[in-house]
Amino acid sequence: MQSNKESTINQVLDGFQIISKTEDTKIAYLKRVEQLRKRAAKELEINLNELDVRQLVAWLVEKKPSIMRATWRQYKSAIIYFLENHEDIQASTEALEYIQDITSEGALKENTHRTSNVKLKKITHDDWTILDNYLKNKPYKWHQFLRAWLRAAIVTGLRPVEWKSAQLVNNNGEYYLKIQNAKNTNGRSHGIDRTLLLKNLNPDDLNFIKSHLNNVKRFLGMDEYEFFYNGCSLSLYKACRRCWPRRKKHITLYSTRHQFSANAKSSGFSKAEVAAMMGHAVDVTASIHYGRKNAGNEESQVLPNPIEVDRVKIVAIPHFDRNNRGSDDRLNQD
C-alpha cells in the first residue's frame, strides 16, 4: 500500500502531468492556427497581418468539404481557443459565434478527391432576388452595407480590394469610375488603372455605387477597411447559408465579378472590351477564368474607355480559325 506521503506526491505529479499536457495542447493549437492563417492569407492573396479573424473563419468553413472530419474538429478546437484569447474582442466574438455552430457535417468521411471549390461563379436573377430581399428584410448588422456592395460590384466588376482606391468622377454631368488595377504586376493588367464610363447607368445603380463608395470612405477614414470587408464577407456567408442551407456552392463577394463578366459578354461586348473593363492584360483571361456568356442575366450598362481597349493584347483566336490555329502557346500566356 502507498503511504500518505507517496499518495500525495503521486497526486501532485498527476496534476503536473495534466497541466503540462494542457499547456502542450495550447501551444499545438496556436501553431496550428498560425499554419492556417498563413494558408488563408496566401490563398486569399492578402498580407498575413491584414487577415481578419472573421475572414479566417469564413475561409476555413469554405474548406470544410475538402477536410477530413477528425481534422476539421481539430481545426475548430484550435480556432476556438485562438478566438477566445484574441485581442480584437468585437471581431473575434462575431467569428466565435459563427464557428461554434458549424458541425463536422459536410466534411470528408474518408480520403477522396472531392474539390474544395465551393464558390459560385454566377448569380442568377432568382438568386439575386432571394438574397437581396433577405438582406433588405432582415436588418442585421452589415446587411445594409453588404447590399450596396453586392449591387455596386455586379454593375462594375471590381475586385473587393479595388474599392479602396476607386474614385467616382463627375465630368459635366457624366460620371465615370476610376480604378487602380489590383494586379498590375508581371504584365497581368493593361495598365496602372482603368476607367468605367457610367453615362448610361440607371439612377438606382449609380446610387448603389455612391452609397458603397461612401461606406468605403467612411471605414478607410477610421483605418478600418479590413474590418468592413471582413464583416460584409462573413455576413454574406451567413446569409447564403440561411437562404440555401442545402447548397454546396455559394455566392461570395468575388462572385459579383464573375457575374459582371457574364453580363458584359451577353451584352455583346468584345473580348478586348471585357478585358479592358476588368483590368486584364489579354483578351482571353475573362473567357477562361470568369463567368460564361450564357450566365448573363441583365444588360451591362457600363462602357470601357476606348484607349484602354487598345492596350489589351489580342491573343484569342477567332472561332472560324480554330481548326487552323497551329500552336496553342498563345492561349496560355495568362
Side-chain angles (χ1 to χ4, degrees):
M1 295 181 59
Q2 288 183 332
S3 67
N4 290 337
K5 181 177 181 181
E6 289 175 334
S7 177
T8 302
I9 291 174
N10 286 333
Q11 289 176 7
V12 171
L13 290 175
D14 288 342
F16 178 77
Q17 290 169 356
I18 293 173
I19 293 173
S20 298
K21 184 177 180 180
T22 301
E23 292 302 320
D24 287 344
T25 300
K26 292 178 180 179
I27 293 172
Y29 279 167
L30 294 178
K31 287 182 177 179
R32 182 164 290 151
V33 171
E34 187 62 18
Q35 292 171 347
L36 291 172
R37 291 181 67 245
K38 289 178 179 178
R39 283 177 54 193
K42 182 178 180 180
E43 293 186 16
L44 297 173
E45 298 183 346
I46 61 175
N47 292 328
L48 182 61
N49 58 4
E50 295 178 350
L51 181 66
D52 185 278
V53 290
R54 294 163 301 177
Q55 193 174 18
L56 172 63
V57 166
W59 169 84
L60 182 61
V61 174
E62 287 184 352
K63 288 287 183 183
K64 188 174 70 167
S66 65
I67 299 173
M68 298 295 295
R69 289 193 175 188
T71 303
W72 164 259
R73 287 191 287 268
Q74 293 172 7
Y75 286 171
K76 179 179 176 180
S77 297
I79 290 290
I80 288 176
Y81 173 74
F82 174 73
L83 293 173
E84 288 175 340
N85 295 277
H86 197 270
E87 59 184 7
D88 189 337
I89 297 177
Q90 183 172 356
S92 60
T93 299
E94 291 183 17
L96 191 59
E97 289 176 351
Y98 183 60
I99 196 170
Q100 284 178 330
D101 294 332
I102 306 297
T103 68
S104 62
E105 185 69 26
L108 297 179
K109 296 181 180 179
E110 57 185 19
N111 287 323
T112 178
H113 295 294
R114 280 179 58 181
T115 177
S116 63
N117 181 12
V118 293
K119 299 179 182 179
L120 277 176
K121 291 189 175 182
K122 64 180 178 180
I123 305 174
T124 67
H125 181 269
D126 288 345
D127 280 0
W128 170 251
T129 301
I130 292 171
L131 179 59
D132 188 52
N133 285 336
Y134 177 83
L135 296 176
K136 186 166 48 176
N137 296 324
K138 298 285 186 180
Y140 298 149
K141 183 179 181 181
W142 300 112
H143 279 196
Q144 182 179 357
F145 296 132
L146 176 58
R147 187 166 174 256
W149 188 326
L150 290 172
R151 186 58 198 168
I154 289 175
V155 171
T156 62
L158 268 67
R159 300 176 177 92
V161 70
E162 289 178 332
W163 286 107
K164 295 171 68 174
S165 64
Q167 293 182 328
L168 185 64
V169 181
N170 186 345
N171 184 21
N172 296 323
E174 292 188 356
Y175 285 93
Y176 65 88
L177 195 63
K178 197 76 173 179
I179 310 112
Q180 291 183 18
N181 289 320
K183 295 191 176 181
N184 183 37
T185 57
N186 301 322
R188 299 177 68 182
S189 178
H190 59 63
I192 297 175
D193 52 36
R194 68 184 186 275
T195 306
L196 297 178
L197 308 180
L198 308 180
K199 61 182 181 180
N200 294 338
L201 200 62
N202 68 63
D204 287 341
D205 283 338
L206 182 60
N207 285 334
F208 273 119
I209 293 174
K210 289 179 178 179
S211 177
H212 181 51
L213 285 173
N214 285 336
N215 295 335
V216 170
K217 184 177 180 181
R218 170 184 170 185
F219 281 92
L220 279 174
M222 297 185 293
D223 196 26
E224 291 286 358
Y225 181 80
E226 294 303 319
F227 179 72
F228 169 56
Y229 166 70
N230 292 309
C232 287
S233 180
L234 185 56
S235 183
L236 176 59
Y237 192 94
K238 291 180 179 180
C240 287
R241 272 67 185 176
R242 297 290 188 273
C243 292
W244 304 284
R246 296 186 178 182
R247 279 192 183 176
K248 295 181 179 179
K249 291 190 176 184
H250 289 278
I251 296 167
T252 69
L253 289 177
Y254 216 88
S255 299
T256 58
R257 183 164 165 83
H258 287 280
Q259 191 58 46
F260 169 83
S261 175
N263 290 342
K265 293 172 186 176
S266 67
S267 297
F269 287 101
S270 69
K271 288 182 174 65
E273 289 173 328
V274 175
M277 291 190 289
M278 298 186 73
H280 295 154
V282 296
D283 64 340
V284 297
T285 304
S287 299
I288 297 173
H289 300 293
Y290 287 88
R292 298 178 178 180
K293 180 179 180 179
N294 60 10
N297 54 36
E298 63 180 271
E299 184 176 357
S300 180
Q301 298 176 353
V302 302
L303 300 171
N305 184 334
I307 297 175
E308 295 168 7
V309 176
D310 291 339
R311 295 179 192 160
V312 175
K313 186 177 180 181
I314 307 300
V315 299
I317 298 172
H319 179 74
F320 64 83
D321 194 39
R322 285 181 180 173
N323 292 329
N324 300 310
R325 64 190 181 188
S327 172
D328 288 334
D329 290 345
R330 290 183 297 167
L331 294 176
N332 299 317
Q333 295 185 19
D334 197 301

